[in-house]
Amino acid sequence: MSLNEPPKVSERERHLIDQIDAISNQLCQAVDGTFDFYVEADSDEIAIQKLAQLNNFLLETAHRTLGELSDSHRQLEARVVERTQRLDLVLTATNDGIWEWDLKSGLVTLSVRWTGMLGLPRPEESRPLDDWLSLVHTEDREAVERALYRHLDGLTKAVNVEYRIRDARGTWRMVLCRGLCQRDEQGRPVRMAGTQTDTTEQRLSDSLTGLPNGHYLDLLLNERLVEKSRQPMSLVKFQLLNVASLFDGVAVEDAVKALRSLVQRMRRQLPPNVSLVALPEHTFAMIFETAEVLALERLLEPLEKLLGQPVEIEGQQVWLSHISGVAILNPQEPISADEWRQQARLAQASARASDSGARRYYSEALRLGARANSRAEQMIRGAIAANGVRCFLQPIVDPLSGQVRCVEALMRLQDPVDGLVNPAVFIEVAERTGLITPLWEMLMDQALKLLKDPAAAERFGNEFLLSVNLSARQLLDSSLLESIILRCEREGVSHRRLQIEVTETAVLSEPAKAFRILQRMRAAGVRVALDDFGSGYSSLAQLTSMPLDTVKIDRQLVVGVNESPRKRHVLAAVVALCQRLEYDVVVEGIEDAATLDLLCGWEAGDIQGYYYARPMAFPDFIKTFTQPSPHPQPPRDVSWEPPTDAALR
Ligand code: C2E
Ligand code: MG
Ligand code: MG
């Protein structure tokens, strides 16, 4: 056999080759991914039969495995669809939008719901992170960026940040953004994705009334203040004072319903472009685009007219009272939202201190007053901390005998900056803040010592009284009597030598309770004096019913009596009235001998005034004040005398 000649093939070999070839041809189908066939072999050769059988076994296994795989694939797909539907449902229900930040490209993809939430069209393609951040309120932008990057750096477990974002209409919405970062095997961040939830309803609206709330007002104020050409504007705070009356004896739900309906009607009284914002304590805020007082009055008129009508609730009628404070913006003056709100708050507080229905406008005087009050409060707190309460004493004298019948304790504060401070500066603030109680206790600790001071006893005897002023708040404290008695016991003096001075205004805030407390005082032996009678609106009716020992006639009725016969008549009549009602009388503010002559001529009663002594520091009083000599009684002045009992009958 030459090298070029093909090897001789036997018939059997030919048969085997043909069979193998036939099997290979059949197996070609598997290349196309078909495995559901059987290999056939037309041969008695054992090896061929074995080859065909083994192939068929492999084909069957492959066919079965593929079937199983496609089953699991189908199941998996079904589960993915189901899960996606469920997620969609949840996101729809929560109205959440989805965002994904590809950290490699730096681009952010936003879902339709994310952009739809803000009324914006969905961008065709992914956009840089800055596009998102540019919609965020400038004050919140830093917080959002910080939240994203802190999580990216692995410092936080998740992104969780709430912020304000501008919607397509230009108004602000509040949203909550949550997200998680996905990392590769090396822990490198790959993408961050999460949700954005609209929380405007919860955060920017008031749950009771459904109106926009204080956070919303902040946004409005800030927005108006940054407008380039600032319009004339006014911020009005309108407060309903007695909303509690709506709830009196009525189911809470009904009262709430009535309030909501009232608020809705209030909203309708305003121009549609003016938001009615609900603030705490039944206060409502509005911004009007005018700086004219007359225009404002006109705008508020419908609202006030509405509130002039009663609210119907369960067949009853409830009248609500209100006050308002207005801060008109000065277009030239740079001002922050905080300051503007503060101005309206001051005007509102000043209206609250006046009658119902009052409207007050912010002014420089109000600001100065508020500053003085806050300074006074600091001064009081400082004095309490540094033991700066000083007790000053002023005698009350029976002019005809010269006897000191009583000594009034008057408070002063020792301030490191302002020196000795008079009560006019701080008493009102002390009463309003409740700080009067600790101040008064410190005053009492010093004043009571007068009743056991040997020098005082030597000069004025052991009968004179110590008179102390009480504020309304103290007067209405039911434990006042016990605490006074306890204090006297501790000091070792008798509470029967004590007189309390109360003013009509203090009594009038709760007359029934005040009367009860005063009665108990008198029954226990503490004397009660009505202070400042004749100043302000004194009521003669109170004079007949109040449990009293003494009436102190205010200096206002005394000033000018020598020059004005009409004034003289008024003072004479008041003195006579008090005497007739059998009260002891003290006339305050006597500064000169002529007035004293006049009063002595009337046998008016005891005298307190600079004529005898100015209020003096406790040690100075003890050191320098001596009992005055009796004032010579002038001839009895009958020109003023009241009608006699006989004439009255
Ligand atoms: P008040 O209780 O009517 O005290 C009398 C005030 O009249 C004192 O003023 C006294 O200095 C002043 N006064 C007395 N005689 C004359 C006079 O002849 N001419 C003039 N121009 N004034 C005279 P003060 O000490 O400044 O006290 C003012 C008010 O402060 C007191 O009026 C009282 O209402 C209140 N106050 C003083 N101490 C206390 C206190 O401890 N507690 C409370 N709640 N109020 C106090
Ligand atoms: Mg007094
Ligand atoms: Mg007085």
Side-chain angles (χ1 to χ4, degrees):
M1 188 178 68
S2 83
L3 276 172
N4 297 332
E5 247 179 89
K8 280 240 170 42
V9 178
S10 71
E11 201 160 321
R12 182 166 174 259
E13 281 170 340
R14 167 60 49 208
H15 170 74
L16 285 173
I17 289 168
D18 287 348
Q19 283 300 316
I20 289 168
D21 198 31
I23 289 173
S24 305
N25 286 340
Q26 290 177 58
L27 282 173
C28 278
Q29 292 180 68
V31 176
D32 300 333
T34 310
F35 297 94
D36 55 344
F37 65 95
Y38 287 104
V39 171
E40 282 172 17
D42 184 17
S43 169
D44 297 331
E45 283 289 341
I46 297 295
I48 294 298
Q49 291 287 345
K50 209 161 132 191
L51 184 63
Q53 285 308 322
L54 278 172
N55 269 314
N56 283 335
F57 174 72
L58 286 175
L59 280 168
E60 202 178 306
T61 310
H63 180 61
R64 194 167 358 96
T65 309
L66 277 175
E68 282 169 7
L69 273 175
S70 92
D71 275 355
S72 351
H73 185 234
R74 261 197 307 280
Q75 278 170 13
L76 260 176
E77 262 182 353
R79 277 174 64 187
V80 168
V81 168
E82 189 208 6
R83 288 275 164 98
T84 312
Q85 281 172 346
R86 261 201 259 164
L87 186 63
D88 266 358
L89 196 68
V90 172
L91 291 176
T92 313
T94 55
N95 212 9
D96 285 355
I98 298 184
W99 56 269
E100 188 183 327
W101 182 20
D102 180 352
L103 299 169
K104 208 159 171 199
S105 66
L107 298 178
V108 175
T109 312
L110 303 172
S111 76
V112 182
R113 208 177 302 286
W114 196 104
T115 47
M117 190 181 289
L118 303 177
L120 298 168
R122 189 183 173 212
E124 298 283 298
E125 66 228 20
S126 305
R127 313 278 311 157
L129 180 66
D130 277 351
D131 274 23
W132 169 2
L133 294 180
S134 68
L135 299 172
V136 176
H137 194 288
T138 38
E139 279 174 24
D140 299 344
R141 211 169 285 164
E142 201 186 309
V144 176
E145 266 189 272
R146 200 176 328 117
L148 292 171
Y149 282 99
R150 275 167 62 82
H151 180 54
L152 200 62
D153 295 339
L155 294 173
T156 53
K157 284 200 175 127
V159 176
N160 195 332
V161 59
E162 199 161 17
Y163 57 92
R164 293 160 289 183
I165 192 162
R166 196 184 276 288
D167 68 12
R169 287 172 305 147
T171 54
W172 291 105
R173 303 204 70 77
M174 196 84 187
V175 291
L176 172 66
C177 171
R178 282 184 280 220
L180 276 176
C181 183
Q182 189 194 351
R183 294 169 193 276
D184 64 14
E185 297 87 52
Q186 278 80 46
R188 283 185 301 242
V190 181
R191 71 171 61 82
M192 204 190 274
T195 58
Q196 178 161 282
T197 316
D198 191 337
T199 53
T200 313
E201 189 71 16
Q202 296 106 288
R203 300 293 171 165
L204 297 184
S205 81
D206 173 61
S207 55
L208 179 64
T209 57
L211 294 174
N213 64 13
H215 295 299
Y216 189 83
L217 180 66
D218 287 347
L219 289 171
L220 282 184
L221 295 177
N222 279 310
E223 217 158 50
R224 297 296 170 87
L225 290 174
V226 295
E227 275 167 12
K228 282 198 190 72
S229 55
R230 213 199 265 172
Q231 303 284 330
M233 276 182 293
S234 304
L235 172 63
V236 177
K237 283 195 172 182
F238 196 93
Q239 186 174 20
L240 299 179
L241 295 176
N242 55 337
V243 170
S245 317
L246 278 181
F247 289 75
D248 271 353
V250 171
V252 175
E253 315 79 86
D254 292 336
V256 168
K257 222 159 108 194
L259 182 64
R260 282 193 181 142
S261 135
L262 172 72
V263 165
Q264 199 47 47
R265 276 178 286 142
M266 284 169 65
R267 176 68 186 86
R268 280 206 299 273
Q269 305 310 313
L270 297 173
N273 62 346
V274 174
S275 299
L276 182 67
V277 176
L279 301 175
E281 296 177 356
H282 310 299
T283 299
F284 301 88
M286 300 146 248
I287 301 173
F288 290 108
E289 285 187 354
T290 179
E292 300 289 328
V293 171
L294 274 177
L296 272 169
E297 309 266 310
R298 262 200 308 278
L299 283 161
L300 288 169
E301 210 172 90
L303 201 61
E304 293 179 332
K305 217 163 157 190
L306 169 76
L307 290 164
Q309 306 293 317
V311 178
E312 295 278 342
I313 182 162
E314 288 197 349
Q316 292 175 32
Q317 296 192 321
V318 179
W319 270 268
L320 291 180
S321 46
H322 59 84
I323 51 99
S324 51
V326 185
I328 297 177
L329 202 64
N330 177 350
Q332 268 81 52
E333 196 183 305
I335 187 175
S336 72
D338 268 356
E339 287 163 334
W340 196 8
R341 232 185 358 231
Q342 165 81 347
Q343 292 184 353
R345 200 180 59 73
L346 280 180
Q348 182 190 2
S350 145
R352 227 180 1 236
S354 315
D355 298 335
S356 156
R359 171 151 50 255
R360 292 283 175 272
Y361 289 82
Y362 171 78
S363 65
E364 185 60 10
L366 266 188
R367 190 180 67 83
L368 292 177
R371 195 196 277 174
N373 283 351
S374 105
R375 166 82 187 102
E377 185 175 341
Q378 292 311 310
M379 187 183 281
I380 295 167
R381 292 189 186 278
I384 292 173
N387 216 0
V389 175
R390 297 285 175 271
C391 173
F392 272 56
L393 300 172
Q394 188 181 29
I396 296 169
V397 179
D398 167 15
L400 300 179
S401 66
Q403 201 190 339
V404 173
R405 307 247 300 169
C406 183
V407 177
E408 181 172 3
L410 294 158
M411 196 185 298
R412 303 285 184 269
L413 295 187
Q414 184 65 51
D415 183 74
V417 180
D418 292 357
L420 207 58
V421 183
N422 279 327
V425 177
F426 63 86
I427 285 289
E428 206 186 302
V429 175
E431 288 184 357
R432 192 157 31 78
T433 51
L435 292 169
I436 190 71
T437 306
L439 286 182
W440 186 81
E441 285 168 355
M442 294 169 91
L443 177 82
M444 285 294 274
D445 284 345
Q446 302 167 43
L448 285 176
K449 296 203 165 33
L450 179 70
L451 296 177
K452 58 177 189 185
D453 187 276
E458 196 184 312
R459 266 181 245 160
F460 318 124
N462 287 316
E463 302 279 296
F464 72 89
L465 301 176
L466 173 69
S467 201
V468 290
N469 296 281
L470 279 186
S471 74
R473 194 188 277 257
Q474 292 173 287
L475 175 63
L476 295 173
D477 174 1
S478 328
S479 63
L480 176 70
L481 176 61
E482 285 68 27
S483 87
I484 285 180
I485 292 178
L486 203 74
R487 243 162 227 288
C488 288
E489 273 173 9
R490 228 173 33 209
E491 212 51 67
V493 297
S494 164
H495 65 268
R496 293 175 175 277
R497 290 185 67 193
L498 215 58
Q499 169 170 278
I500 55 163
E501 297 189 13
V502 294
T503 59
E504 264 193 308
T505 22
V507 173
L508 283 181
S509 63
E510 267 188 69
K513 185 171 182 191
F515 279 23
R516 254 196 331 273
I517 291 177
L518 292 180
Q519 259 150 8
R520 282 187 65 216
M521 290 277 180
R522 293 187 70 215
V526 175
R527 290 177 59 94
V528 175
L530 179 63
D531 202 359
D532 301 345
F533 185 76
S535 70
Y537 301 99
S538 296
S539 147
L540 296 181
Q542 294 297 336
L543 213 52
T544 55
S545 51
M546 224 173 125
L548 279 185
D549 298 288
T550 303
V551 177
K552 294 185 74 178
I553 296 172
D554 193 74
R555 184 170 170 263
Q556 269 186 32
L557 289 188
V558 177
V559 175
V561 276
N562 282 314
E563 294 77 44
S564 156
R566 293 173 75 83
K567 282 199 130 190
R568 213 157 41 235
H569 276 301
V570 174
L571 180 61
V574 171
V575 170
L577 177 70
C578 294
Q579 287 173 341
R580 227 163 234 277
L581 294 171
E582 295 179 344
Y583 296 130
D584 287 348
V585 173
V586 174
V587 186
E588 293 184 313
I590 310 304
E591 296 186 351
D592 52 71
T595 316
L596 188 63
D597 277 349
L598 184 78
L599 289 162
C600 286
W602 296 349
E603 290 173 18
D606 295 341
I607 298 296
Q608 178 176 4
Y610 292 176
Y611 178 80
Y612 284 118
R614 287 181 176 251
M616 284 180 264
F618 191 118
D620 296 342
F621 180 81
I622 298 288
K623 237 187 278 162
T624 63
F625 186 73
T626 51
Q627 179 158 314
S629 41
H631 192 76
Q633 187 166 12
R636 192 172 170 80
D637 174 5
V638 289
S639 62
W640 65 279
E641 284 213 339
T644 58
D645 283 354
L648 279 174
R649 276 196 293 269

